[in-house]
Amino acid sequence: DTGVSQNPRHKITKRGQNVTFRCDPISEHNRLYWYRQTLGQGPEFLTYFQNEAQLEKSRLLSDRFSAERPKGSFSTLEIQRTEQGDSAMYLCASSTIQGGSYGYTFGSGTRLTVV
Amino acid sequence: AQSVAQPEDQVNVAEGNPLTVKCTYSVSGNPYLFWYVQYPNRGLQFLLKYITGDNLVKGSYGFEAEFNKSQTSFHLKKPSALVSDSALYFCAVRDGSGAGSYQLTFGKGTKLSVIP
């Protein structure tokens, strides 16, 4: 598989529960990005990693959100104490070390619904 | 700060006619510009990019875009629209000067409907 893989595709959770999403990037891509997309909006940047180091975080990433990339391969995004406003599509992307000069490859996303 | 404006929420075009989806941007350094397409409940698919060089960039599925530095625009075009082109199109920018962030900033998207 040469694409970016995200799991699960869909997640429905009750308000207050914790959820975790996984992203497997293209194997030779050093950079990994998380974005959030709400209905009718473009994707908004959350955070990015170069290898295992988290180099940038958006202020959208509140204290309830945490992302990891422990071995520089797959990444997880955890949301604690979910709120209805967290309902969105969470997109993962990866790119080469050139930082996206050749484009960012996106996964199909995880759609989160908080009820 | 960097930003992207897609002034049209929706563009309707008849099949076989040329299409244009507009995008203007703002970035402090060198613009790296991208177009992505999104089908319902799917992720983003890369169409084309401008990094440097020719102002006219050719991409996937017959799409092209023209970089205009003076107008800070990067409009997406196709000579002859297909019904299968109906989708949501996003323009994105990042600062390629080396001092900027690696994050892409997206516009709100333009829904393209190609009418048979």
Side-chain angles (χ1 to χ4, degrees):
Chain A
D1 185 5
T2 58
V4 177
S5 177
Q6 291 189 246
N7 288 287
R9 291 294 305 275
H10 302 276
K11 178 71 177 178
I12 300 174
T13 190
K14 291 183 178 180
R15 189 176 49 170
Q17 298 294 305
N18 300 343
V19 294
T20 300
F21 311 139
R22 176 178 170 128
C23 171
D24 288 272
I26 292 172
S27 58
E28 60 266 30
H29 283 183
N30 301 87
R31 291 207 169 106
L32 184 148
Y33 312 79
W34 285 100
Y35 283 79
R36 181 175 70 184
Q37 185 180 19
T38 52
L39 201 61
Q41 300 295 320
E44 296 172 297
F45 171 78
L46 292 178
T47 188
Y48 98 90
F49 292 83
Q50 181 169 309
N51 300 316
E52 65 276 8
Q54 189 174 18
L55 297 186
E56 193 170 346
K57 291 168 62 173
S58 163
R59 56 181 180 272
L60 291 176
L61 212 67
S62 75
D63 292 345
R64 297 184 297 104
F65 287 70
S66 63
E68 294 182 341
R69 195 182 182 197
K71 297 183 180 178
S73 56
F74 73 92
S75 175
T76 57
L77 178 68
E78 181 184 16
I79 309 174
Q80 296 182 327
R81 305 181 304 281
T82 52
E83 302 172 355
Q84 287 189 324
D86 297 331
S87 295
M89 175 81 90
Y90 290 84
L91 295 165
C92 176
S94 67
S95 75
T96 63
I97 197 71
Q98 285 86 358
S101 299
Y102 302 98
Y104 298 59
T105 303
F106 280 82
S108 294
T110 294
R111 180 167 295 282
L112 173 66
T113 303
V114 181
V115 298
Chain B
Q2 54 198 40
S3 64
V4 171
Q6 293 183 242
E8 301 152 319
D9 290 338
Q10 177 147 358
V11 169
N12 297 322
V13 63
E15 187 177 22
N17 282 3
L19 69 87
T20 299
V21 182
K22 295 179 180 176
C23 169
T24 58
Y25 67 89
S26 173
V27 67
S28 54
N30 297 328
Y32 284 7
L33 294 154
F34 303 84
W35 275 101
Y36 285 85
V37 61
Q38 186 175 38
Y39 295 97
N41 296 313
R42 302 295 302 274
L44 302 172
Q45 294 180 28
F46 171 78
L47 280 179
L48 51 79
K49 67 182 187 296
Y50 171 83
I51 304 299
T52 187
D54 278 345
N55 290 342
L56 185 63
V57 177
K58 294 188 183 297
S60 307
Y61 313 118
F63 284 93
E64 58 189 27
E66 186 167 11
F67 171 64
N68 187 316
K69 187 174 182 179
S70 62
Q71 297 185 1
T72 61
S73 66
F74 190 57
H75 301 331
L76 180 70
K77 300 182 180 183
K78 187 173 182 182
S80 178
L82 300 173
V83 172
S84 58
D85 293 330
S86 299
L88 195 52
Y89 290 80
F90 290 97
C91 181
V93 69
R94 66 167 277 249
D95 183 344
S97 65
S101 164
Y102 287 105
Q103 63 172 281
L104 283 179
T105 298
F106 287 84
K108 290 187 175 182
T110 298
K111 182 179 180 182
L112 174 67
S113 293
V114 181
I115 303 160

